[in-house]
């Protein structure tokens, strides 16, 4: 048996959304921010069917492009050292300035040269594009440890999952034997039991607590009660049907708001648009607009994720453009990543189709694709210049 990260994510997202769908139907709605939002059962069923349809389409697309592909791209140690330097530098920068911390709302009022450099470099994104293809296993493990510490220090508990996915991509195919099954079972049990501490670190980093304060707080409460709460929270991170159903039920309002320019269109995202919006006024994106609508306040520093289902629910006559855009994006991206990075490229893209695109984190997905192109052509130009010198 082979552990495929794309198939694993498919089952995780399908299971989590199915469970959330059951709760949505059973309760007649969902609770968020201290309020209960009623959702019609027909809306719940419609949102669920769209969710499952998208998850299946993504799996079929991956299966199609995973059949071929060039040999895996292999990067020499210098790329690993560069990645290590950037990751350490970014970690130090965040520790000194307090930037990048989840939910902090921190921003540089007068601008910062270092911040601009890191925004353009996208260190976390570079990890996904370089680490799976490093020739040196030792460098991979060192950079991975720094990356994990960096994300945890910024209050991102999802770093454990991201690192696990990158590991499966890098070492694919990871075959499950009797021995490795027990290793994975032990690792999984250890991570589950450590969830209260990981969750405590996440919130501790966001609120400025020390590690000793976090551990004391976790141990001073009912550990297994906290474990149950955190487990439910982790499972809920793989579903977004509640917010998708909310947008579907209020589709007329969101359609009108889009046409009024209250939030950006689906193609107006990514690093290029971010640079433009630093120089000019731009509306917020759908995720932030949805959070402000649901919460009843503007100027929030966090967002929610209605996902692609949310977009599908209110575009109406513009639906054909949305589907054409997404189909072209996925076809071109898969074809390029499979040819440029090999099978591992298809795996990497397939994973982030679920992690980013399905949830509607369009800017993050667009950046992955764009930087994937840039980085590959940078490597190829370097190799081409070297071959000319050798001739």
């Amino acid at each position: 048996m082979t552990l495929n990260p794309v198939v694993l994510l498919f089952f995780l997202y399908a299971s989590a959304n199915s469970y959330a769908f059951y709760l949505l139907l059973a309760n007649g709605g969902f609770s968020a921010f201290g309020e209960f939002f009623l959702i019609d059962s027909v809306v719940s069923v419609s949102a669920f069917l769209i969710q499952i349809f998208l998850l299946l389409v993504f799996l079929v697309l991956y299966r199609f492009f995973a059949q071929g592909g060039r040999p895996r791209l292999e990067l020499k140690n210098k790329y690993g050292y560069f990645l290590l330097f950037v990751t350490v530098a970014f970690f130090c920068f965040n520790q000194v300035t307090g930037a990048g911390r989840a939910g902090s709302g921190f921003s540089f009022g007068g601008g910062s040269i270092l911040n601009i450099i890191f925004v353009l470099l996208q260190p976390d994104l570079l990890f996904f594009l370089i680490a799976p293809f490093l020739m040196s296993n030792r460098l991979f493990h060192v950079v991975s440890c720094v990356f994990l510490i960096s994300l945890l220090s910024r209050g991102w508990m999802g770093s454990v999952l991201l690192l696990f996915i990158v590991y499966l991509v890098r070492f694919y195919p990871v075959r499950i034997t009797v021995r490795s099954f027990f290793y994975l079972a032990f690792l999984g049990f250890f991570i589950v039991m450590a969830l209260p501490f990981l969750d405590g670190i996440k919130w501790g980093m966001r609120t400025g607590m020390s590690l000793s304060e976090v551990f004391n707080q976790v141990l001073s409460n009912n550990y297994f009660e906290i474990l149950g709460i955190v487990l439910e929270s982790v499972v809920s991170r793989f579903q977004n049907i509640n917010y998708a159903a909310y947008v579907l039920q209020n589709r007329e309002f969101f359609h009108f708001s889009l046409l009024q320019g209250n939030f950006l269109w689906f193609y107006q995202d990514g690093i290029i648009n971010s640079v433009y919006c630093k120089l000019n006024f731009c509306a917020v994106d759908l995720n932030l607009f949805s959070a402000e609508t649901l919460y009843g306040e503007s100027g929030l520093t966090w967002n929610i994720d209605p996902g692609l289902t949310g977009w599908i629910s209110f575009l109406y006559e513009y639906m054909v453009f949305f589907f054409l855009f997404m189909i072209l994006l996925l076809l071109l991206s898969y074809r390029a990543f499979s040819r440029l990075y090999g099978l591992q490229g298809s795996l990497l893209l397939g994973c982030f189709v679920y992690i980013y695109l399905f949830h509607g984190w369009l800017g993050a997905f667009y950046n992955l694709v764009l930087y994937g192109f840039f980085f590959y052509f940078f490597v190829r130009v370097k190799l081409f210049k070297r071959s000319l010198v050798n001739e």
Side-chain angles (χ1 to χ4, degrees):
M1 177 182 173
T2 300
L3 198 56
N4 187 302
V6 178
V7 177
L8 175 65
L9 286 173
F10 166 78
F11 282 110
L12 278 174
Y13 279 95
S15 301
N17 278 275
S18 297
Y19 176 65
F21 168 62
Y22 163 74
L23 294 179
L24 194 61
L25 275 183
N27 298 326
F30 66 96
S31 296
F33 319 119
E35 290 189 41
F36 186 80
F37 297 90
L38 288 169
I39 301 295
D40 186 85
S41 58
V42 175
V43 171
S44 299
V45 172
S46 300
F48 177 69
L49 291 176
I50 297 173
Q51 296 277 81
I52 296 300
F53 171 75
L54 289 172
L55 291 173
L56 286 170
V57 167
F58 294 154
L59 185 63
V60 170
L61 272 174
Y62 159 73
R63 286 292 192 187
F64 178 78
F65 283 99
Q67 303 302 318
R70 294 183 179 178
R72 164 185 166 160
L73 176 68
E74 292 191 332
L75 299 175
K76 294 185 177 180
N77 288 352
K78 62 181 180 181
Y79 292 98
Y81 291 128
F82 167 74
L83 179 60
L84 181 61
F85 171 78
V86 170
T87 306
V88 170
F90 192 50
F91 169 71
C92 295
F93 173 76
N94 289 321
Q95 291 303 300
V96 171
T97 64
R101 191 168 295 155
S104 67
F106 179 91
S107 63
F108 289 92
S112 165
I113 297 298
L114 280 177
N115 183 57
I116 293 171
I117 291 173
F118 285 125
V119 166
L120 294 176
L121 270 181
Q122 298 279 311
D124 293 340
L125 190 53
L126 287 180
F127 175 81
F128 301 136
L129 294 172
I130 296 177
F133 308 102
L134 289 174
M135 295 175 66
S136 170
N137 285 334
R138 180 180 297 178
L139 262 178
F140 169 76
H141 288 113
V142 170
V143 176
S144 296
C145 288
V146 177
F147 174 75
L148 178 64
I149 294 170
S150 177
L151 280 188
L152 284 176
S153 72
R154 285 177 268 148
W156 295 102
M157 192 172 69
S159 55
V160 177
L161 173 67
L162 290 174
L163 201 57
F164 180 59
I165 293 299
V166 170
Y167 178 89
L168 292 180
V169 170
R170 173 180 173 80
F171 294 105
Y172 186 83
V174 177
R175 292 187 171 85
I176 304 299
T177 62
V178 174
R179 187 182 205 180
S180 61
F181 173 79
F182 282 106
Y183 282 142
L184 285 171
F186 174 77
L187 178 63
F189 176 77
F190 175 77
I191 291 174
V192 168
M193 296 306 294
L195 281 176
F197 294 104
L198 291 171
D199 188 66
I201 292 172
K202 177 184 79 172
W203 292 110
M205 293 300 101
R206 295 185 183 192
T207 56
M209 294 173 63
S210 66
L211 284 178
S212 60
E213 289 176 315
V214 169
F215 278 76
N216 287 333
Q217 189 177 73
V218 172
L219 294 174
S220 63
N221 291 293
N222 187 320
Y223 182 83
F224 289 100
E225 183 180 340
I226 297 174
L227 178 61
I229 295 172
V230 176
L231 267 174
E232 186 176 345
S233 172
V234 169
V235 171
S236 70
R237 296 297 295 173
F238 293 100
Q239 67 85 17
N240 63 330
I241 191 171
N242 291 340
Y243 300 135
Y246 173 81
V247 171
L248 178 58
Q249 183 157 284
N250 297 277
R251 55 192 177 276
E252 295 291 347
F253 166 76
F254 280 91
H255 180 73
F256 177 77
S257 298
L258 174 65
L259 297 184
Q260 289 294 108
N262 294 333
F263 60 92
L264 298 172
W265 287 78
F266 52 85
Y267 56 83
Q268 294 176 301
D269 224 323
I271 188 66
I272 296 175
N273 192 68
S274 296
V275 172
Y276 173 81
C277 290
K278 289 290 182 183
L279 305 173
N280 302 275
F281 172 78
C282 289
V284 298
D285 61 14
L286 172 63
N287 291 2
L288 183 52
F289 178 78
S290 301
E292 292 177 344
T293 301
L294 205 66
Y295 194 66
E297 286 186 17
S298 59
L300 300 179
T301 59
W302 47 269
N303 54 50
I304 61 175
D305 51 341
L308 295 190
T309 300
W311 279 105
I312 290 171
S313 64
F314 64 77
L315 279 174
Y316 295 158
E317 67 270 24
Y318 301 102
M319 183 79 68
V320 62
F321 300 109
F322 176 79
F323 276 119
L324 283 174
F325 180 84
M326 288 299 162
I327 288 170
L328 282 173
L329 173 68
L330 287 171
L331 290 179
L332 292 175
S333 301
Y334 261 118
R335 181 171 175 79
F337 269 64
S338 64
R339 290 179 63 83
L340 304 180
Y341 293 90
L343 175 59
Q344 270 71 19
S346 297
L347 281 166
L348 184 71
L349 187 68
C351 290
F352 282 96
V353 164
Y354 286 110
I355 296 171
Y356 285 165
L357 188 63
F358 176 73
H359 274 288
W361 298 330
L362 303 181
F365 186 75
Y366 297 165
N367 288 346
L368 177 75
V369 173
L370 187 62
Y371 276 67
F373 282 117
F374 285 161
F375 180 70
Y376 175 81
F377 287 120
F378 172 80
V379 173
R380 284 304 175 198
V381 166
K382 295 278 288 184
L383 292 175
F384 178 70
K385 286 182 178 180
R386 182 177 300 168
S387 66
L388 288 179
V389 170
N390 292 336
E391 288 177 2

